[in-house]
Amino acid sequence: MTWTVLYLRSRRVPLALAAALGGATLVWALYLAFAEEREVAPTVVVMTVLLMVAVLAPTLAGPDDDLDRTASMRWPWRRAAHLLAVLLVALGVLLVTRYTGARFGPVALVVRDAAGLLGLTALCATVVGAARSWFLPLGWTTVAALYPMTGSWGAAATWQSQPPDNDAATLVAAILALGGLVTYSIVGPARREVSENP
């Protein structure tokens, strides 16, 4: 229990969790107050998922790169559990709104985009570090939301903004989710430069 508390505090999980929940709650409240439709627009759903993933991304690395690689701990399992916990938090927060006046959905869209964006973020964390891991997901998703394309290749390139039943988009999201889970779990976040250490 003590280890878990120290782990969460060292990665500033409570703060990131509060920011993610606060952001999602703000979007939900605004939609509830001002929108005429009960179903939240797909673009807003995707951007809210992105917001939550981006806010939680810095928790993918601890303050000490060497400590996160010590051989006395089974880090791959812990990293996998961390990613799955982040996914469950994002899904839980957004899907619980299905029982309120402003609904984030459809469920398949939320699951696909949350898993895909989290996997992409985890992949980026292994290359550029957790602090910058949300840059590519933000840029890619923003372009995809503004300029969705049709056709198999177009749908694959803009998978975030495709309908939930689009096979190409689902395939890309699944590859990113699985690739991110496996790669991040095994490799871990990229080491930071000395000047970046807190």
Side-chain angles (χ1 to χ4, degrees):
M1 185 64 182
T2 302
W3 186 89
T4 303
V5 172
L6 291 174
Y7 175 87
L8 296 175
R9 288 182 60 190
S10 70
R11 290 166 186 262
R12 300 179 180 143
V13 171
L15 178 62
L17 196 57
L21 294 177
T25 301
L26 177 62
V27 174
W28 172 82
L30 290 173
Y31 214 90
L32 184 65
F34 299 108
E36 295 180 1
E37 300 290 332
R38 295 186 68 184
E39 295 287 340
V40 176
T43 302
V44 177
V45 172
V46 173
M47 297 310 287
T48 305
V49 170
L50 176 65
L51 168 71
M52 295 188 74
V53 170
V55 168
L56 292 168
T59 68
L60 297 179
D64 188 331
D65 294 336
D66 293 327
L67 184 61
D68 278 12
R69 287 172 170 77
T70 179
S72 63
M73 306 284 283
R74 295 182 178 175
W75 284 104
W77 292 111
R78 286 175 169 81
R79 292 183 190 120
H82 188 112
L83 272 184
L84 293 175
V86 170
L87 178 62
L88 290 177
V89 166
L91 293 177
V93 169
L94 297 180
L95 294 181
V96 77
T97 63
R98 303 295 298 167
Y99 305 101
T100 68
R103 303 171 179 167
F104 284 84
V107 174
L109 175 69
V110 175
V111 172
R112 183 196 69 192
D113 282 8
L117 287 172
L118 185 58
L120 178 61
T121 302
L123 280 172
C124 291
T126 65
V127 178
V128 297
R132 299 185 183 99
S133 62
W134 54 275
F135 289 2
L136 177 60
L138 173 66
W140 188 357
T141 304
T142 302
V143 172
L146 292 175
Y147 308 104
M149 294 187 285
T150 57
S152 296
W153 291 108
T158 58
W159 60 273
Q160 304 94 324
S161 60
Q162 298 299 318
D165 59 348
N166 186 289
D167 293 337
T170 302
L171 179 62
V172 172
I175 290 172
L176 290 173
L178 186 59
L181 176 64
V182 172
T183 305
Y184 172 77
S185 298
I186 295 173
V187 177
R191 289 182 180 272
R192 288 167 287 198
E193 299 294 331
V194 175
S195 60
E196 295 178 297
N197 288 326

